[in-house]
Amino acid sequence: MDIIAQHNQKMKVFHDIIGCAFDVYNEYRPGLTEYPYQYGLKFLLKWLGYDVRKEYDLPLYLFQQLLPESYRCDLVLVRQEGNIIIECKAKKCILEEHRDQLKNYMLLTHCPFGVLINFTKPSSKGGQVYSEVYQYHEKEHYVDRLDTKYIGTMKEYTEKPWKRFLRQSSNTPLCILPEIKTDKDYL
């Protein structure tokens, strides 16, 4: 397997998360709070076959010791290779405090990966989706940002089931409205 294929395989889950975030944002448009985007993201990731859980309890650590309590994160993609905390925001821009929030979640729970997604509020330039991916290093107990500049240019194309569904049902009306009655109908 060549280096590009290995990289694509490792990053596929992040490609899917960010791709689904774009699809949700394109459907919902800018200007909402983070919750509708979060619910839509969860729905699409589940449709791709991922185990995504809302309000999921992760183990809590202090001084590298597992505590009997747990910490509840808003959205977690559960997988064998390591869970991924997905922190969604709907702000004008990402601030350092938003990055610190995700990093602290990862340090508290020893979760190996985290994705920070901002569904930006509308501005003069419109809205957009901004994302950052982080990795927790357990031995050194620190979090750093992964270089994800190639996620958007992965060579492997992911066919999204909802795109197929939309193509198949594009000629079918979403709902049928009753005919409008005129004054003659009431006479």
Side-chain angles (χ1 to χ4, degrees):
M1 187 181 290
D2 67 0
I3 292 175
I4 292 174
Q6 287 175 345
H7 176 76
N8 286 349
Q9 184 178 2
K10 179 181 173 185
M11 300 303 257
K12 183 181 183 318
V13 67
F14 303 114
H15 178 264
D16 289 346
I17 292 169
I18 294 165
C20 288
F22 274 99
D23 289 341
V24 169
Y25 190 75
N26 289 335
E27 178 68 21
Y28 284 167
R29 301 289 177 208
L32 301 172
T33 64
E34 65 192 54
Y35 300 108
Y37 300 118
Q38 201 176 70
Y39 299 141
L41 182 59
K42 177 185 173 199
F43 179 80
L44 291 185
L45 286 169
K46 278 189 172 279
W47 205 344
L48 285 180
Y50 290 105
D51 183 8
V52 184
R53 301 184 191 174
K54 179 116 178 73
E55 300 292 328
Y56 184 67
D57 288 325
L58 290 172
L60 188 60
Y61 292 85
L62 178 67
F63 304 124
Q64 305 296 342
Q65 296 297 313
L66 179 63
L67 300 178
E69 289 79 15
S70 61
Y71 189 82
R72 185 166 288 183
C73 290
D74 287 343
L75 203 58
V76 178
L77 193 144
V78 179
R79 59 192 199 124
Q80 240 177 354
E81 300 88 354
N83 297 337
I84 301 171
I85 297 173
I86 303 172
E87 183 62 30
C88 296
K89 299 291 181 192
K91 306 289 183 186
K92 200 171 213 177
C93 64
I94 290 291
L95 301 174
E96 203 56 41
E97 64 192 49
H98 302 131
R99 292 179 180 100
D100 290 343
Q101 181 183 15
L102 177 60
K103 290 177 188 178
N104 285 332
Y105 289 166
M106 294 170 70
L107 290 169
L108 287 171
T109 63
H110 291 197
C111 193
F113 298 102
V115 179
L116 178 60
I117 301 173
N118 188 30
F119 300 92
T120 64
K121 300 239 181 212
S123 67
S124 60
K125 297 178 183 177
Q128 64 178 357
V129 176
Y130 176 79
S131 64
E132 296 176 356
V133 178
Y134 292 88
Q135 183 173 11
Y136 169 70
H137 301 275
E138 192 166 2
K139 274 188 177 178
E140 299 86 11
H141 192 60
Y142 79 97
V143 175
D144 70 340
R145 187 170 167 188
L146 287 179
D147 180 11
T148 56
K149 62 183 170 188
Y150 298 110
I151 284 181
T153 58
M154 288 178 61
K155 292 191 177 224
E156 295 174 17
Y157 176 74
T158 304
E159 173 66 26
K160 298 175 182 173
W162 55 91
K163 298 282 187 181
R164 210 173 325 120
F165 170 76
L166 291 174
R167 277 197 306 271
Q168 290 170 354
S169 61
S170 62
N171 295 332
T172 309
L174 295 177
C175 65
I176 299 171
L177 298 173
E179 290 184 28
I180 299 173
K181 294 186 176 191
T182 63
D183 291 339
K184 292 178 188 175
D185 294 333
Y186 292 108
L187 295 176

